[in-house]
Amino acid sequence: MEQTVEYAHATGTLSGIWLLVAIPLASAAILLLLGKRADKWGHWLGVLAVAASFVLGLVFFIKLGGLDAEHRSAELSMWDFIAVGNLHVDFGLLFDPLSGIFVLLITGVGSLIHLYAVGYMEHDPGRRRFFGYFNLFVAAMLLLVLGNNYVMLYFGWEGVGLASYLLISFWYGRPSAATAGKKAFLMNRVGDTGLAIGIFIMFATLGSTQYSYVFSNVGALSSTTVLVLGILLLLGAAGKSGQFPLQAWLPDAMEGPTPVSALIHAATMVTAGVYLIARSNHIFSANHTLQTIVVSVGAFTLLMGCIIGSAKDGIKRVLAWSTVSQIGYMFLGVGLGGGAYALAIIHLVAHGFFKANMFLGAGSVMHGMHDEEDIRRFGGLRKHMKWTWLTFMMGWLAIIGIPPLSGFFSKDPIIEAAYARGDWTSWLFGTAALLGAGLTAFYMTRLFVLTFHGPERYTEQNKHPHESPFIMTVPLMLLALGSIVAGFLLSRHSAIPQWLEPVTGEGEHDPVMNKTLISILVLAVSVGGAGLAWALFSKGTALQEQPAGVVVTAARRNLYTDAFNEAVFERPGIYLTRALVFLDNKGIDGLVNGIAAGVGGSSGRLRRLQTGFVRSYALSMLTGVVLVVGAFLAIQLGWLA
Amino acid sequence: MGDLKLPAIDYGALAPMLILFGVACLGVLVEALVPRKSRHAIQLTLSFLAIIASFVTVIIEHGTRKITIGGAVAVDGPTLFLQGAILALGAVSLMLIGERSMEKGGAFVSQAAITVGSQKDLRQAGEQPGATEVYPLTLFALGGMLLFVSANDLLTMFVALEVFSLPLYLLCALARRRRLLSQEAALKYFLLGSYASAFFLFGAALIYGFAGGISFGAVHDAVANPQRSEVLLYAGLALVAIGLLFKAALAPFHVWTPDVYQGAPTPITALMAACTKVAAFGALLRVLYVSFEGVRWDFQPVLGVIAVLTMLVGAVLAVTQTDMKRLLAYSSVANAGYLLVGVLALNEEGLSSTMFYLVAYGFSVLAAFGIVTLVRDADGEATHLSRWAGLGRKSPLFAGTFTFILLAFAGIPLTSGFTAKFAVFGAAVEGGQTWLVIFGVISSMLLAFPYLRVVVLLWLSEPGESTPTVSIPGFMTAAALTIGVLATFALGVVPAPLIDLTRDAAQFVR
């Protein structure tokens, strides 16, 4: 990369971008600090704060659109965040096309989900606390995408991690929620450590973490450094986005309230990894091996998510694995580089809508079914929940890529781009993506059919399912509209790639197959998968888990990844800690306790010198005087020194 | 007789001190002429106005760099910065001193001369409002400190030392509760203080003998180009330094600190911990940086040993303390050690980071002692550590605030304690004094233990039967606490503006 990257200074209206972060942050502070006093109106403040950010974001976005492509960015340095020695970190923000899209997604989808949560959490005693955390999340996420250097990004990164952890274990009374929170926290720690070391390397080799500086000078680094740096960033991205090998926490994170699953673990936070890679595109594009690694992770994860998703019976579990798999598509996109960055972002936005739509739909179903999650216990719900059914259907059609819904316009180009990688790997990754599309259609149709169609299989206490209140269905309708309309908007194919061009650059190979042929193949595979699922499940399904072959059993066990983690990391880890505890008790504790006893003992003895008598104080001072004067004279006479 | 010339005097540059001394004199008149009832309000208002006016003149004079009044006073960057710091910290201490709502009559006794424990004394302890002489005394002390950091010769410095010490001796004796302890503390402070002053004066005499002059510039020239025996120089330097080390509470000249901090009325302890420290280190910086820079390689190791000793003694002794005020006293001793590490960097960074540390530590320690005034039972403040057990359950806001301050003392990031320690240690490494930093870090680790022990005590212990209550702070204490905590937080998160200010100020005139 020989190009220099510069950002224009924020002027005029755009110098107010800090408000985007400040408003939800202030609201979170008010909600969490006021305590019970805010119980009555707190949730509305929470909704209002995010909506205000959205309106502001929209204004800034339009302003930004008015600038020409050369200067389409606004960088705002607020103050010196850290300044020690050579390390200078600005507290600065950057609003450019990429962060603009994210801001709109976060605040737009965020507002709808906040609104939905007002209804969903109505009977929960912790509703105000919930909205406090929720606002905190929005503020941190906005900081993540708006920072103008990696340290700010890391700040937001840890902030969303914290909010996610707090919200997963929101019902901390349930052991499963507490464990899921812990699992998310630990797995994220692995990724975050990678990101942190990556930032250290950046500072050590380039002396700065500022985006503009890093991207302008990445060409000066050796290719090994770029590779290591990229892998570390990728580790961070994989941790946050639930990609292989750090995917296990994401499905468990569904223990949190459903709006959390929709906003944090489907639409926004989990896409932070994609943002990180898209933002660092100058680093990733600088090394081909690195790109191959990203693409492999994406392709592997997307297939894995599909396979496991096909075998799950919890409505939110299936959606969670589907999220893992869809983010795999995005990783595949950003790994391909060039114009595919924009394709990944398109898919990210489209996914944000339809997945949030389906998660909220799932929440609505559970709301009407006494929190039942098992799709084997649903069936025929379309008669009882008209709106939920209709809106969920839009999400379903969108994700499996039926034209003219948004998934078709966002996933299809990624598959095309995978076929256009340029060497034999085109076949590998393209076919993986194609296969994924078929599997996606299969498991999503299974989910849809078992929930809304076929015979009713309700349990005793769920005899009378009912539709959710208005406040929950309205966001569903708006999101469904997004799942449809996003397709039309994005179908003006070059709009978003052109918009993002100042950030990601362009460039494209020709696919190894005819584009039209690929489109037809994708559609055929999707319809085939969906048809197969419809045929298999429209009559309902067994209520108990049935014995199954090797593949299905493996899929039910998450392809043994948990077992793998347990065998390879957890067990040796436990043995290691036991060994260390032993060493610690015998060796280090002995030393530490010895030192502590020594300090305590000498403290006790020294205390006795503090007699309270002025005469002895004067004597100790005199001793000091004699010693000090003596030392000075000794130096003067040359005895010391 | 015609050739007796008055020196040129820049009244503008001296205005901060003149205002304080003038209003202090006015305050003495108020004591004499105004009826007892209205004295408190008048004195308090006057004192605040004086401090504010003085602070404003410091700001107006911020660009002044000159030596005036016949070479006796140097007004330069460090002078103005430290004067501003003393005034700001002094204003916050004054809020604690002026608090009257938590105890009937305030923290001070009305007639200190009445025999302790007599019938008359018991009557006045319960009822009469406290002495209002504390306000002029405080102003005299603050004025003396301003002069102390701006003194440009050894005699002016000595006079300033006495001017600010004498009111402090008196103030220490004025506690309403536990007055015997208070009087004992004052007497100890007075005796040992005079003892140290004598060393200072003797040292000044020896240096005069060596340099043939007492102004710091003259001493600097003589050090660069010695005419007389250097024995005079080194002995003089040692003795002058000892006088200053005493005020700064560095080992082994710290012995008075715990007793005096414990015995003095808590607002006065706060004043001493914050402002006296600024004044003492300001003077030490000036003497070492201006006069004796030429022999830096000779005094650095000796003072280095003292810094190490101070850090270790302060930290180790803090471990076994059972009284909150004594614990804070030893912590202040250890902090004096860290400050000396910054001083011994002997570069511009050392100067600026030490000044930053003084301000950061001053605000935190004011907040800490402010909190100590709140924990009370029927006998006044309950300072024994065992009485603080479980206070977090009863008053989470209070305990949270105190925990935050303790974390700042321990040097946890996002507090000023971290940035300040980082700054002085960084300067010392740059100045080639890595060995001091190693001891500094060890001492910080030791010192974290007593702080965390208090945190554990606050939050994890069961409250006992006799756990005292936390008073609702009066307006002024609340304001002082808020300022202290906010400053501790702000200097930890956005230290850059103040650091820049100290860097701009880090140049002495000679």
Side-chain angles (χ1 to χ4, degrees), chain A residues 78-85 87-88 91 155 595-596 598-637 640-641, chain B residues 184 187-188 191-192 195-196 199 229-232 234-235 237-239 241-242 245-246 252-259 297-299 301-303 306 312-313 315-322 326 330 422 446 493-496 499 503:
Chain A
M78 294 165 76
W79 65 78
D80 251 4
F81 186 42
I82 302 170
V84 275
L87 178 61
H88 280 272
F91 198 101
F155 201 174
I595 291 175
V599 168
S602 50
S603 182
R605 271 187 290 279
L606 274 175
R607 255 182 97 179
R608 270 180 242 147
L609 292 179
Q610 197 76 21
T611 51
F613 291 120
V614 179
R615 56 174 186 264
S616 51
Y617 292 176
L619 182 66
S620 67
M621 278 174 63
L622 186 67
T623 319
V625 171
V626 170
L627 288 177
V628 171
V629 174
F632 269 108
L633 292 180
I635 285 173
Q636 198 270 326
L637 296 173
L640 298 171
Chain B
E184 183 189 326
L187 193 64
K188 277 180 190 166
L191 287 173
L192 295 173
Y195 190 48
F199 285 121
S229 159
E230 290 195 334
V231 173
L232 290 174
Y234 285 106
L237 168 57
L239 292 172
I242 285 163
L245 298 180
F246 172 84
F253 313 104
H254 70 288
V255 275
W256 58 277
T257 319
D259 292 15
W297 302 117
D298 298 327
F299 71 72
V302 180
L303 292 185
I306 287 182
L312 293 182
V313 163
V316 168
L317 275 167
V319 169
T320 43
Q321 294 310 311
T322 52
R326 286 182 85 86
Y330 279 109
F422 196 96
L446 291 178
V493 182
V494 232
I499 287 184
R503 288 202 177 127

Side-chain angles (χ1 to χ4, degrees), chain A residues 241-245 247 295-306 321 324-329 331:
Chain A
S241 293
Q243 296 294 290
F244 183 80
Q247 78 290 347
V295 174
S296 312
V297 167
F300 186 77
T301 315
L302 87 86
L303 284 177
M304 183 175 137
C306 289
W321 281 109
V324 169
S325 144
Q326 294 296 311
I327 297 173
Y329 271 108
F331 268 60

Side-chain angles (χ1 to χ4, degrees), chain B residues 374-412:
Chain B
L374 296 182
V375 183
R376 320 183 71 95
D377 58 12
D379 297 328
E381 291 163 10
T383 55
H384 197 275
L385 271 186
S386 62
R387 310 288 307 277
W388 289 50
L391 274 179
R393 311 256 173 114
K394 291 175 132 185
S395 333
L397 178 67
F398 150 83
T401 315
F402 197 57
T403 304
F404 177 71
I405 295 293
L406 288 174
L407 292 180
F409 283 148
I412 305 295

